[in-house]
Amino acid sequence: MAVVTIVGAGVIGISWARLFGGAGWEVRMSDPRPDLQELVERELAGVPVTATADLASAAAGADFVQEAGPERIEIKEEMFAALAAHTGDDVVLASSSSSLLPSVIAQGNPAADRIVIGHPFNPPELMPLVEVVPGPRTATRTVDRAVEVYRALGKLPIRLKKEIPGFVGNRLQKVFNEQCAYLVQQGVIDVKELDELVRASLGLRWAVTGPFESGVLGGGPAGMRHLVEHVGSQLTFEDGSPDPARMGEVLDAVERAYGTGRPAYERLVELRDGRTRAVLDPLGWTNPSSDGGRQ
Ligand SMILES: NC(=O)c1ccc[n+]([C@@H]2O[C@H](COP(=O)([O-])OP(=O)(O)OC[C@H]3O[C@@H](n4cnc5c(N)ncnc54)[C@H](O)[C@@H]3O)[C@@H](O)[C@H]2O)c1
């Protein structure tokens, strides 16, 4: 049985563990949190998993490493130094980081050629995408192997040509989310209505066609060129950006809308996972050999 070591048992690490475990991998988890055993028993019932605070012993004998620890460069550097020392020299060391550059994570690391970003969207067990981002010192065989592993897990790995902060998904998300906060701060719309507006329009559209493909369709038979010249040419307003000093107001409004704490979180997870599962199959994402309807 192939062995995966997952570093960090938070939101992302637990979900990776379900995915790898469900695909027949033996899972070893490492996390210094004091409630680790209890967490693993509660969240990973039925998954072939062992858990320890000791990163070195969790990494020994791994065939693949998926790091999902805190998004702090000094912690990542420390974790990857230990991973380099305690894994074989053909083992991929993939980081789930949302935005940190692989070249920075790999700085001074003797296993820089084995370090790559494997950035999932939350939750990795359901979302098809994994962004695979090499740094300048990442070996081609590392990228190839990461792509092969994610594909075998039923994911859609997309390999970026080069690194850039935030990669692609989070650069897009950052711009979009900033505009959402700006619109709430400006009193244009409430939090829940904005979420509904997006789900009923851009969310649904982008689940079936990407932004460029939507542009082609929006222009009719004359294509995106027509859309850009016609509707696009009138979109000349200033975007505006949220006031960082007033982000507390936005966060208060989000908490009023959705609640806080474990019961609220679990209710939202159940709703999201149920809806996501319901659309994965019709959209062509559940068959590992499928390409999700790409042409
Ligand atoms: N949450 C998201 O939506 C999301 C999506 C994609 C990628 N990511 C990335 O995944 C990673 C994990 O994010 P998360 O949201 O699961 O964070 P999280 O805070 O839920 O979990 C992080 C875990 O790391 C553990 N940890 C702390 N120090 C450690 C160490 N030295 N060794 C091992 N584990 C350690 C913590 O105890 C915690 O359980 C981050 O790099 C983040 O950028 C997050």
Side-chain angles (χ1 to χ4, degrees), residues 3 5 28 54-63 83 86-88:
V3 174
T5 297
R28 301 204 186 132
D54 181 33
L55 182 52
S57 66
D63 295 297
L83 289 169
H86 296 286
T87 51

Side-chain angles (χ1 to χ4, degrees), residues 7-13 30-33 68-71 75-76 79 96-98 119-120 122:
V7 186
V11 172
I12 296 301
S30 171
D31 193 311
R33 57 193 291 168
E71 188 75 337
I75 300 182
K76 299 267 195 228
M79 291 187 298
S96 303
S97 175
S98 300
H119 171 240
N122 184 38

